[in-house]
Amino acid sequence: MRAVISSVAALIAAVVLGGCGYSVGPIGHPQLKTVAVAPVANETLSYNAAAQMRNLLSECFTTDGTMKLVSATQADCIVYASVKEVTISEVSWSSNDDDDYQPNEWRCRVKVNYSVIIPGRGKPLIKERSVTGSAEFVTGPDLESSRLNGMRQAMFDASKTIVSNITEAW
């Protein structure tokens, strides 16, 4: 008797939930299947920021999987981005026995503007928007390497937001 009741309950749940309009799969725009990432502009003094941002945007599109990453000549839409700001600030300090305080934890914040263009159209699909990304990192043996890794983490944070805004904005 319990088996019959649970089977009927499962059947009713399947019918009710099946008719709610839920679907499994990508939620991106149905006409946009491919995307390209144009070369990124670097408007800061941080070296290699443009290359890092473009690589991370490409990586995020690839791992998201909603749209296939292709060249600009084959893409349904093209993402244009520019790194506007990279700031690094101290978060916490440590001291030694001589009461000398040195920063040991840092925060990197990046600001990136982006837009999405459909080739052949006069006006953009997504007008220029601004996103920020941030990350905290500690001072390692080489402070410059730590800063670059912190900037990369912050750009990854911004890239995830950009990809999400593009693929889920519909």
Side-chain angles (χ1 to χ4, degrees):
M1 183 67 167
R2 280 189 177 177
V4 171
I5 292 174
S6 62
S7 297
V8 170
L11 180 64
I12 290 172
V15 168
V16 169
L17 292 177
C20 293
Y22 293 109
S23 63
V24 177
I27 59 174
H29 193 283
Q31 295 174 335
L32 299 179
K33 305 261 189 255
T34 58
V35 64
V37 178
V40 175
N42 182 10
E43 298 180 16
T44 71
L45 296 177
S46 297
Y47 61 90
N48 211 19
Q52 291 289 342
M53 191 68 207
R54 185 173 189 208
N55 287 341
L56 290 166
L57 271 171
S58 298
E59 180 181 325
C60 285
F61 274 113
T62 301
T63 55
D64 177 71
T66 303
M67 295 171 25
K68 183 179 177 184
L69 186 67
V70 296
S71 69
T73 59
Q74 301 170 328
D76 295 331
C77 64
I78 303 171
V79 178
Y80 291 89
S82 61
V83 180
K84 295 290 190 179
E85 184 179 310
V86 175
T87 57
I88 297 178
S89 57
E90 302 93 356
V91 174
S92 67
W93 295 263
S94 64
S95 68
N96 58 18
D97 293 336
D98 298 331
D99 287 335
D100 292 333
Y101 288 90
Q102 297 178 348
N104 66 347
E105 189 175 357
W106 304 79
R107 176 177 296 119
C108 181
R109 183 180 169 276
V110 297
K111 179 180 175 186
V112 180
N113 288 4
Y114 73 96
S115 63
V116 179
I117 306 292
I118 294 178
R121 276 203 176 163
K123 78 179 202 186
L125 178 66
I126 298 176
K127 293 180 183 177
E128 187 170 348
R129 295 181 183 176
S130 181
V131 297
T132 59
S134 64
E136 292 186 2
F137 62 96
V138 295
T139 303
D142 179 16
L143 180 58
E144 191 57 30
S145 294
S146 298
R147 285 181 183 171
L148 290 174
N149 287 332
M151 181 179 73
R152 183 171 163 77
Q153 291 172 1
M155 287 182 173
F156 182 70
D157 186 37
S159 295
K160 289 188 304 184
T161 303
I162 291 170
V163 170
S164 175
N165 288 348
I166 292 170
T167 59
E168 300 176 11
W170 319 108

